[in-house]
């Protein structure tokens, strides 16, 4: 069957022709793409020519273009606009793709050729002609193949391949179970008085969600993390408890979507694979290829933050309990916090929300900051189409009018979209192929009824700036090889640019530009501006504790040996003992993600890597201080950050790139001050 993936797209920026793609196109394209790349790699591995950088490393980078085209589109849709049929196909092709990757990564002939190139780089007469990016390509490819098991014997490779195929099926199952159970557990409300505290925009979104499912009343759909943003506003304590208990119960209700056995099997297989590769546990495998290098280094940072964070959270709970007049539970925390925020800063969510209209935040906030820093312009292209009618397409150009890429924004939640927020590439930038980047940001903002404005809460504003930081990384990076394009960097570094971009949310000139009342156009009142700036560090005990609990839980699961993993039979018991042992089992502060809905670590590629958010926040906090000392929102500061960090993508060791930008290694002091942990 001919498919839209057979040749590169002829649309601007090679944007995939989404409107031409049908379900039946995917499997033939996957099959053809895998067969094509197998033939390409076989030609490299079986070659009689002396291994060189060009005939081995560059040839490998050139392979698999058809497979890349179909994969980028398929996995974009399976995350953001899925259907039961698409999920079924994902379950079908995932083990095939895992086997395909292993067939390449574990090919001893290919590994030997790469090892030969690596061993002769400095001795070869043409070695000096290789660029730093070329040399990094050699080192990264060799390291990744080594850690993937290319050096194992045949029996080891056979077992490793079986493990990888089963894991691909299990992680797909975990994600599908989570999506289905999250949809099923949406809280249905039939009496409007229960919604007291919500503004008209939130009620409109809940009514629209109910109508979409053919229900009367209102439907409160659940985000990926523990809890719900509306818990800060709802005055009905019983409804708050219903929402929180629904959130916490995902994936552990004993139904067809229960994730507990899936999770345990994933943990056991990852531990077995680690031992097969010669490591004590899965966390050791993961960190060996990150900037952290060892689980002990990760534990050193996380554990050092726990005592102060937990103590701060205990103090915060006591204060909030006094404010509301009863012992605050998990479902009360956000509500009590908003009361306290209003008393201390006058900047509670309900007061701020009318000033955060989504389109204005996007154009006058997110895009405005990017223009001031990097000279980028964003023009909406109504003639170009995304994978869903809600997806907006923007052409990005530089200050001299040169094309930069395309930015796609998919703002609203829907049943076919997984929870959370993320960025992913649809077309990767590469000088090798002459392609410019096409990147997508996905959020899960509740969609109001037609004609009503989309008003964001502060957390959603911060999320939009954060995810756009990833998009900027993808748009600005200029590399030769697709392996290093954009956000293709070490996982514990990837969050750094996006975290830095959050600083512009409350930067005075940026805030003044976008924070205007959606009806009157009046700017954010001075007392609310002051409240936002004064509230920096507010509720950090809670925020740091819920994050650390999840990060340490991720580490606990993945620091199990194969024997210890086999002995774990109860997810709940393991969670409880792990959090208590870490000193982070704080009452009324559940982990930001509990195990059975911890998509980051059991289906999202952050296994043993969720620590990366705070690991890279050390760099982020240090960088924020640099911006404040070096011109702030200015082209000169933006140019240095773009050229020395964003622009190099993964083509340079990230810590070397940071030292090149900052002039020294990052210091932890700014992070401790930011989070109140000194």
């Amino acid at each position: 069957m001919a498919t839209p993936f057979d040749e590169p797209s002829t649309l601007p920026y090679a944007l995939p022709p989404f409107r031409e793609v049908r379900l039946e196109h995917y499997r033939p394209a996957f099959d053809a793409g895998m067969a094509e790349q197998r033939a390409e790699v076989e030609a490299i591995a079986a070659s009689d020519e002396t291994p060189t950088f060009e005939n081995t490393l560059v040839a490998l980078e050139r392979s698999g273009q058809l497979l890349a085209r179909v994969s980028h589109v398929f996995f974009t849709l399976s995350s953001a606009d899925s259907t039961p049929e698409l999920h079924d196909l994902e379950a079908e092709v995932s083990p095939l793709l895992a086997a395909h990757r292993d067939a390449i990564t574990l090919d001893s002939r290919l590994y030997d050729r790469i090892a030969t190139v690596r061993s002769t780089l400095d001795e070869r007469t043409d070695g000096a002609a290789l660029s730093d990016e070329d040399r990094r390509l050699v080192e990264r490819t060799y390291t990744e193949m080594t850690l993937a098991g290319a050096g194992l014997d045949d029996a080891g490779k056979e077992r490793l391949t079986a493990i990888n195929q089963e894991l691909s099926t299990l992680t797909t199952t975990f994600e599908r179970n989570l999506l289905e159970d999250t949809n099923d557990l949406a809280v249905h409300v039939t009496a409007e008085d229960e919604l007291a505290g919500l503004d008209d925009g939130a009620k409109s979104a809940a009514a629209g969600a109910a109508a979409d499912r053919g229900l009367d009343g209102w439907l409160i759909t659940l985000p990926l993390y523990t809890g719900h943003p509306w818990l800060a506003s709802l005055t009905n304590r019983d409804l708050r408890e219903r929402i929180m208990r629904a959130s916490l119960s995902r994936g552990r209700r004993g139904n067809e979507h229960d994730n507990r056995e899936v999770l345990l099997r994933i943990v056991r297989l990852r531990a077995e694979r680690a031992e097969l590769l010669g490591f004590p546990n899965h966390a050791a495998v993961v960190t060996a290829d990150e900037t952290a290098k060892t689980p002990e280094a990760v534990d050193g940072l996380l554990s050092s933050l726990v005592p102060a964070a937990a103590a701060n959270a205990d103090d915060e709970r006591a204060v909030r309990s006094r404010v509301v007049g009863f012992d605050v539970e998990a479902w009360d925390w956000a509500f009590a916090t908003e009361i306290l925020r209003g008393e201390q800063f006058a900047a509670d969510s309900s007061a701020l929300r009318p000033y955060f209209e989504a389109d204005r935040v996007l154009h006058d906030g997110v895009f405005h900051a990017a223009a001031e820093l990097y000279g980028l312009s964003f023009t909406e292209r109504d003639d170009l189409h995304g994978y869903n009618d809600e997806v907006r397409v923007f052409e990005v150009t530089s200050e001299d009018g040169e094309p930069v890429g395309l930015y796609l924004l998919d703002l609203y939640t829907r049943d076919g979209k997984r929870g959370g927020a993320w960025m992913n590439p649809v077309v990767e930038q590469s000088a090798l192929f002459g392609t410019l980047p096409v990147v997508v940001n996905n959020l899960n903002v509740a969609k109001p009824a037609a004609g009503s404005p989309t008003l964001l809460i502060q957390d959603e504003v911060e999320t939009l700036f954060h995810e756009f930081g990833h998009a900027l990384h993808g748009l600005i990076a200029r590399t030769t090889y697709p392996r290093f394009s954009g956000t293709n960097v070490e996982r514990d570094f990837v969050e750094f640019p996006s975290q830095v971009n959050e600083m512009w949310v409350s930067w005075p000139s940026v805030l003044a530009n976008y924070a205007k009342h959606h009806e009157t156009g009046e700017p954010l009142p001075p007392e609310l501006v002051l409240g936002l700036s004064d509230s920096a560090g507010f509720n950090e005990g809670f925020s740091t504790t819920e994050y650390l609990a999840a990060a340490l839980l991720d580490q606990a699961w993945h620091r199990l040996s194969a024997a210890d993993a086999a002995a774990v039979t109860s997810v709940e018991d393991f969670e409880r003992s792990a959090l208590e042992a870490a000193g982070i089992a704080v009452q009324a502060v559940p982990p930001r993600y509990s195990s059975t809905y911890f998509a980051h670590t059991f289906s999202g590629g952050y296994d043993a890597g969720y620590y990366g958010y705070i690991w890279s926040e050390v760099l982020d906090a240090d960088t924020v201080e640099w911006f404040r000392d070096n011109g702030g929102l200015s082209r000169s500061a933006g140019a240095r950050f773009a050229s020395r960090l964003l622009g190099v993508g993964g083509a340079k060791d990230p810590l070397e790139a940071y030292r090149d930008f900052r002039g020294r290694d990052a210091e932890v002091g700014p992070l401790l001050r930011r989070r109140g942990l000194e």
Side-chain angles (χ1 to χ4, degrees):
M1 175 188 291
T3 78
F5 305 109
D6 292 344
E7 299 293 337
S9 170
T10 59
L11 291 173
Y13 300 89
L15 178 72
F18 289 110
R19 291 191 169 183
E20 298 176 18
V21 177
R22 300 192 304 274
L23 179 68
E24 59 266 28
H25 290 146
Y26 289 115
R27 183 58 195 269
F30 272 122
D31 289 342
M34 287 186 283
E36 178 183 272
Q37 190 174 28
R38 282 197 301 271
E40 291 166 338
V41 172
E42 177 62 25
I44 300 169
S47 174
D48 292 330
E49 295 180 357
T50 300
T52 67
F53 179 75
E54 287 291 336
N55 71 21
T56 303
L57 276 302
V58 175
L60 185 60
E61 281 294 288
R62 288 186 180 279
S63 72
Q65 288 307 294
L66 170 56
L67 184 58
R69 288 193 294 271
V70 62
S71 295
H72 279 130
V73 172
F74 179 80
F75 288 107
T76 293
L77 267 72
S78 69
S79 297
D81 201 28
S82 194
T83 63
E85 294 77 16
L86 210 60
H87 275 306
D88 290 342
L89 182 57
E90 185 176 9
E92 182 181 313
V93 301
S94 289
L96 300 178
L97 290 170
H100 172 74
R101 288 189 295 269
D102 282 345
I104 296 171
T105 306
L106 303 181
D107 190 317
S108 298
R109 300 167 301 165
L110 182 63
Y111 184 56
D112 289 344
R113 289 182 68 86
I114 292 169
T116 298
V117 174
R118 179 174 179 265
S119 68
T120 59
L121 273 180
D122 293 328
E123 289 76 23
R124 290 166 53 233
T125 57
D126 64 340
L130 296 183
S131 68
D132 290 342
E133 183 178 351
D134 295 339
R135 291 172 175 270
R136 182 161 166 81
L137 180 65
V138 176
E139 292 295 341
R140 292 296 299 154
T141 306
Y142 178 79
T143 298
E144 288 168 8
M145 291 184 73
T146 301
L147 291 173
L152 294 175
D153 60 21
D154 289 344
K157 289 179 180 178
E158 183 178 357
R159 178 59 190 148
L160 187 69
T161 298
I163 290 173
N164 288 341
Q165 289 183 57
E166 187 176 353
L167 280 170
S168 71
T169 298
L170 289 166
T171 54
T172 299
T173 300
F174 185 97
E175 183 171 337
R176 183 171 188 172
N177 283 346
L178 175 54
L179 177 62
E180 297 291 344
D181 215 33
T182 298
N183 288 339
D184 288 351
L185 282 163
V187 177
H188 186 206
V189 178
T190 55
E192 187 171 5
D193 61 350
E194 289 189 75
L195 300 176
L198 293 188
D199 60 26
D200 290 341
K203 288 182 183 178
S204 172
D212 287 345
R213 297 198 196 178
L215 299 172
D216 295 328
W218 301 264
L219 194 70
I220 301 174
T221 57
L222 302 176
L224 185 60
Y225 60 84
T226 301
H228 196 286
W230 294 348
L231 292 178
S233 304
L234 288 165
T235 62
N236 187 306
R237 194 181 187 206
D238 289 340
L239 180 57
R240 295 202 304 267
E241 183 176 356
R242 282 177 61 198
I243 294 169
M244 178 60 76
R245 291 195 182 280
S247 178
L248 290 166
S249 69
R250 285 173 292 167
R252 60 178 77 205
R253 295 192 293 152
N255 60 8
E256 67 271 26
H257 306 313
D258 197 298
N259 262 335
R260 286 173 291 190
E261 288 303 317
V262 177
L263 180 162
L264 290 174
R265 182 62 177 161
I266 289 172
V267 170
R268 291 164 186 161
L269 287 172
R270 286 174 175 170
E272 181 189 349
R273 182 175 61 185
E275 292 196 359
L276 189 63
L277 293 170
F279 289 86
N281 52 58
H282 181 65
V285 179
V286 170
T287 52
D289 199 30
E290 306 295 342
T291 66
K293 299 306 180 187
T294 67
E296 289 73 25
V298 173
D299 185 62
L301 175 63
L302 298 183
S303 297
S304 70
L305 305 178
V306 165
N312 288 352
D314 283 335
D315 290 345
E316 289 173 359
R317 182 172 185 251
V319 171
R320 282 149 182 74
S321 296
R322 288 197 297 272
V323 165
V324 295
F326 52 81
D327 288 339
V328 162
E329 300 294 345
W331 47 87
D332 303 313
W333 192 291
F335 180 72
T337 296
E338 284 306 298
I339 294 175
L340 190 62
R341 191 194 305 273
E343 291 179 355
Q344 292 187 1
F345 309 113
D348 62 89
S349 295
S350 60
L352 291 169
R353 198 162 183 246
Y355 297 88
F356 294 159
E357 191 275 319
D359 208 50
R360 180 167 272 159
V361 172
L362 178 68
H363 284 277
D364 297 343
V366 172
F367 290 169
H368 168 71
E372 293 294 306
L373 284 163
Y374 310 116
L376 299 179
S377 298
F378 297 80
T379 304
E380 191 150 12
R381 292 285 301 266
D382 294 329
D383 59 316
L384 300 178
H385 305 287
Y387 48 85
N388 184 290
D389 289 343
E390 292 180 344
V391 178
R392 301 170 67 181
V393 181
F394 298 87
E395 183 173 17
V396 188
T397 54
S398 66
E399 58 190 338
D400 56 7
E402 289 298 309
V404 173
L406 292 180
Y407 171 69
L408 279 60
L409 176 62
D410 188 354
L411 186 66
Y412 296 112
T413 190
R414 51 181 170 267
D415 285 352
K417 183 189 286 191
R418 66 175 170 88
W422 66 96
M423 168 270 187
N424 66 273
V426 175
V427 178
E428 291 184 312
Q429 179 274 327
S430 166
L432 187 68
F433 294 108
T435 51
L436 291 174
V438 178
V439 301
V440 185
N441 270 165
N442 264 280
L443 278 76
N444 268 281
V445 174
K447 187 177 183 180
S452 299
T454 300
L455 303 180
L456 306 179
I457 62 172
Q458 185 180 354
D459 182 67
E460 290 168 336
V461 174
E462 291 170 354
T463 298
L464 181 55
F465 273 84
H466 175 98
E467 295 305 330
F468 190 73
H470 287 305
L472 286 170
H473 202 179
L475 289 166
I476 292 175
R478 289 295 179 266
T479 63
T480 301
Y481 306 109
R483 176 184 294 263
F484 298 138
S485 173
T487 56
N488 290 334
V489 298
E490 281 80 346
R491 189 168 53 188
D492 58 4
F493 183 81
V494 73
E495 296 298 332
F496 160 57
S498 56
Q499 289 169 330
V500 169
N501 205 57
E502 291 181 42
M503 74 176 290
W504 310 116
V505 171
S506 56
W507 192 261
S509 63
V510 179
L511 183 67
N513 205 52
Y514 75 80
K516 298 178 181 179
H517 198 282
H518 71 99
E519 292 178 332
T520 67
E522 291 295 314
L524 196 66
E527 64 271 17
L528 293 183
V529 174
L530 183 62
L532 273 174
S533 60
D534 284 351
S535 64
F538 178 72
N539 206 41
E540 276 297 345
F542 173 89
S543 299
T544 306
T545 297
E546 69 158 3
Y547 166 77
L548 288 174
L552 287 160
L553 194 57
D554 172 37
Q555 288 294 303
W557 281 117
H558 292 116
R559 292 188 71 172
L560 292 172
S561 66
D564 289 341
V568 178
T569 57
S570 168
V571 171
E572 289 82 0
D573 289 347
F574 181 84
E575 281 185 334
R576 189 179 309 109
S577 61
L579 294 175
E580 289 174 352
I584 201 72
V586 178
Q587 190 172 1
V589 186
R592 185 163 179 82
Y593 301 100
S594 191
S595 300
T596 53
Y597 53 90
F598 204 164
H600 284 78
T601 193
F602 292 113
S603 64
Y606 275 70
D607 38 295
Y610 192 65
Y611 77 89
Y613 285 91
I614 206 158
W615 187 268
S616 58
E617 193 181 342
V618 174
L619 307 177
D620 155 39
D622 196 49
T623 299
V624 167
E625 291 205 351
W626 180 89
F627 268 105
R628 287 175 177 153
D629 294 338
N630 289 272
L633 190 78
S634 68
R635 287 290 287 114
S636 60
R640 183 179 179 92
F641 190 64
S643 64
R644 303 195 183 198
L645 271 168
L646 299 180
V648 302
K652 190 172 186 175
D653 177 272
L655 296 186
E656 287 183 15
Y658 188 83
R659 283 189 288 271
D660 184 37
F661 158 71
R662 192 69 168 94
R664 58 165 173 76
D665 290 327
E667 297 175 353
V668 74
L671 170 69
L672 299 180
R673 289 191 289 274
R674 171 190 289 182
R675 288 186 172 262
L677 300 175
E678 289 181 297

